[in-house]
Amino acid sequence: MFSGIGVTGFLLIALVALLLFGPNKLPELGRAFGRTLKEFKAGAKDIMEDDDDRNRKPVSRVEVNRDEQKDEKRLPE
């Protein structure tokens, strides 16, 4: 995502943010952004889990008697 931005780019962005918001407001903005990102990830995870649950088909088990299965494979006498 940030492959084209180097160290100088990050320093320039940090300097502009510091000038715009001031040193007291930056930690609050960072915390708010972190909470928002955390809530978004949790919501996306819940949606993905709900979608997975809907796409799964119920599986039924069939019991096979192994003795009968062996008898069917025998050649006629």
Side-chain angles (χ1 to χ4, degrees):
M1 181 173 175
F2 296 109
S3 61
I5 299 176
V7 175
T8 55
F10 280 121
L11 289 175
L12 183 63
I13 291 171
L15 180 65
V16 170
L18 186 62
L19 290 174
L20 287 175
F21 299 110
N24 295 332
K25 201 70 162 170
L26 281 179
E28 294 175 24
L29 289 173
R31 279 190 288 275
F33 179 73
R35 279 189 222 113
T36 303
L37 189 60
K38 185 178 179 180
E39 289 176 13
F40 177 77
K41 284 182 178 181
K45 185 178 179 181
D46 288 342
I47 290 172
M48 295 298 288
E49 287 175 356
D50 288 345
D51 190 37
D52 287 343
D53 291 342
R54 286 186 197 145
N55 290 337
R56 291 188 182 153
K57 296 179 182 176
V59 178
S60 61
R61 297 183 120 183
V62 178
E63 292 186 24
V64 177
N65 189 350
R66 300 253 182 226
D67 294 332
E68 291 177 7
Q69 192 177 26
K70 289 179 184 177
D71 291 339
E72 293 175 4
K73 291 183 180 180
R74 287 187 183 171
L75 294 174
E77 295 179 1

